[in-house]
Amino acid sequence: MAHYEALEHCTLCPRKCGINRYEKTGFCSMGALPVVNLYMLHHGEEPPISGRLGTEDTRGSGTVFFEGCSAKCIFCQNSKISGGPTGKGEGADSSRLAEIYLELQDKGAYNINLVTPMHFAPVIADSIKRAKDNGLKIPVAVNTGGYDEVDTLKMLDGLVDIYMPDFKVWDPKTARQILHAPDYADKAASAIREMFRQVGPADIDPDTDLMRKGMIVRHLMLPGKLFDTKKILDFLTGEFGNDIYISLMSQYTPMPTLPTDAPDFLRRTVPSGHYDSASDYLIDKGQINAFVQDSSSQGDLLIPDFKD
Ligand code: SF4
């Protein structure tokens, strides 16, 4: 069942706007029809998704970037497309999306990687079913900001192989400051539990080192928020341990689009000492399935060239 009726009184995400997406837009700024800004073979994801850089076999992840977002963090690193329609994207119903996935598979993608698709969940579910009916064989990954509703995730049960949610922030006060959602951590924790229920422990192909099923939870450290980072790592290691991968990222960059009233801590970068401390904390908890970065990797190198 495609659940298209959910778009007529939209409560797909915790914002629960309750509007008819065929007639107007809510907090995510998007109508009912998904808009794809860009699709490409992407080499900037973690190695089990994008392949091993520096080897012959680096075809990449078949990544589809959707416009709009229901989280809308004020520091968004993809703000060119998360804020709403750019006017340069392609409106794509489920048939067109299925075509895109199959085109990426034909180009050699290791997986289909849907970036911020949950505000279009009913159409996404339909598109994955159509693509599978028409020969899609590679794993399907869904990449979210973590501010997701469990009932909406259930629309994708059995269709998604890999989830890659963010867990951005723990403290409700900070969550209110950065994405106007004091319930962020509660929602992210529930969403991650549901994602894990669907896909189970990480399953890596021993021949290719690519992920066939499982989860990579990403945490982009924020300047001055080491306490939040440690609480998030406590939760993830305590509940899931090495059944999931944890990607600890250091490259927070203050964007020129930061609002003038943004809290001061967002105008800095993450001190390398804090990143090293968080990495040590994660390793001390026994987390082997972890991706950590060189703490000098701040900048915008991983941000694709979106149409805007
Ligand atoms: S998906 Fe968009 S319209 Fe629906 S509840 Fe969330 S923000 Fe509102």
Side-chain angles (χ1 to χ4, degrees):
M1 188 179 161
H3 300 286
Y4 277 88
E5 72 285 352
L7 290 160
E8 292 169 14
H9 182 81
C10 189
T11 56
L12 288 175
C13 85
R15 304 287 181 193
K16 299 207 179 301
C17 303
I19 50 132
N20 185 342
R21 298 269 301 277
Y22 292 98
E23 293 172 357
K24 52 165 121 164
T25 60
F27 190 89
C28 59
S29 308
M30 302 304 291
L33 183 68
V35 179
V36 172
N37 184 268
L38 181 69
Y39 62 96
M40 61 189 279
L41 293 176
H42 188 29
H43 303 280
E45 305 282 39
E46 288 81 357
I49 304 298
S50 278
R52 288 167 291 186
L53 280 177
T55 68
E56 287 176 11
D57 203 11
T58 53
R59 298 195 304 269
S61 173
T63 307
V64 185
F65 293 93
F66 292 91
E67 296 192 357
C69 178
S70 55
K72 290 215 181 127
C73 304
I74 60 173
F75 59 82
C76 183
Q77 313 279 295
N78 286 349
S79 56
K80 281 184 181 174
I81 65 169
S82 62
T86 61
K88 301 280 174 59
E90 174 188 355
D93 63 9
S94 62
S95 303
R96 174 63 186 138
L97 288 172
E99 273 177 21
I100 290 172
Y101 309 159
L102 292 166
E103 181 185 329
L104 288 165
Q105 177 174 259
D106 287 347
K107 287 182 174 161
Y110 298 129
N111 42 59
I112 298 303
N113 178 2
L114 308 177
V115 179
T116 321
M118 292 306 294
H119 48 301
F120 303 116
V123 194
I124 298 298
D126 196 12
S127 70
I128 300 171
K129 277 187 209 132
R130 281 173 188 265
K132 287 181 186 262
D133 287 347
N134 286 290
L136 187 74
K137 298 276 187 269
I138 54 179
V140 174
V142 163
N143 199 314
T144 90
Y147 197 48
D148 298 309
E149 269 304 330
V150 168
D151 285 345
T152 306
L153 287 164
K154 285 182 175 165
M155 294 179 192
L156 301 181
D157 194 1
L159 296 170
V160 172
D161 304 287
I162 298 166
Y163 279 109
M164 296 189 288
D166 296 332
F167 202 138
K168 295 173 186 290
V169 67
W170 187 266
D171 177 47
K173 182 166 160 274
T174 313
R176 186 191 297 278
Q177 283 179 308
I178 66 174
L179 73 163
H180 310 291
D183 59 348
Y184 175 84
D186 286 344
K187 291 291 180 183
S190 300
I192 288 169
R193 289 185 184 112
E194 168 60 20
M195 293 173 188
F196 185 75
R197 184 194 70 75
Q198 290 184 23
V199 299
D203 173 22
I204 304 285
D205 184 329
D207 294 328
T208 62
D209 291 342
L210 293 168
M211 186 173 272
R212 294 186 288 215
K213 250 183 178 316
M215 290 181 66
I216 299 175
V217 182
R218 291 160 163 172
H219 174 60
L220 175 66
M221 286 185 71
L222 294 175
K225 298 295 171 187
L226 186 57
F227 174 80
D228 274 68
T229 293
K230 289 184 173 175
K231 295 298 281 184
I232 290 166
L233 297 181
D234 286 344
F235 166 74
L236 294 173
T237 56
E239 290 219 9
F240 309 104
N242 285 298
D243 282 343
I244 63 168
Y245 281 77
I246 298 174
S247 185
L248 185 63
M249 301 186 290
S250 63
Q251 75 269 33
Y252 172 78
T253 306
M255 300 297 278
T257 48
L258 264 183
T260 49
D261 60 350
D264 284 345
F265 71 85
L266 289 176
R267 302 189 187 284
R268 304 192 293 266
T269 55
V270 175
S272 60
H274 284 196
Y275 186 75
D276 294 342
S277 165
S279 308
D280 291 347
Y281 190 77
L282 181 59
I283 290 160
D284 287 347
K285 287 192 163 285
Q287 189 73 21
I288 299 162
N289 290 340
F291 299 103
V292 293
Q293 296 173 321
D294 178 338
S295 53
S296 65
S297 62
Q298 282 147 345
D300 59 3
L301 291 176
L302 297 178
I303 301 172
D305 192 14
F306 296 122
K307 300 173 199 154
D308 66 341

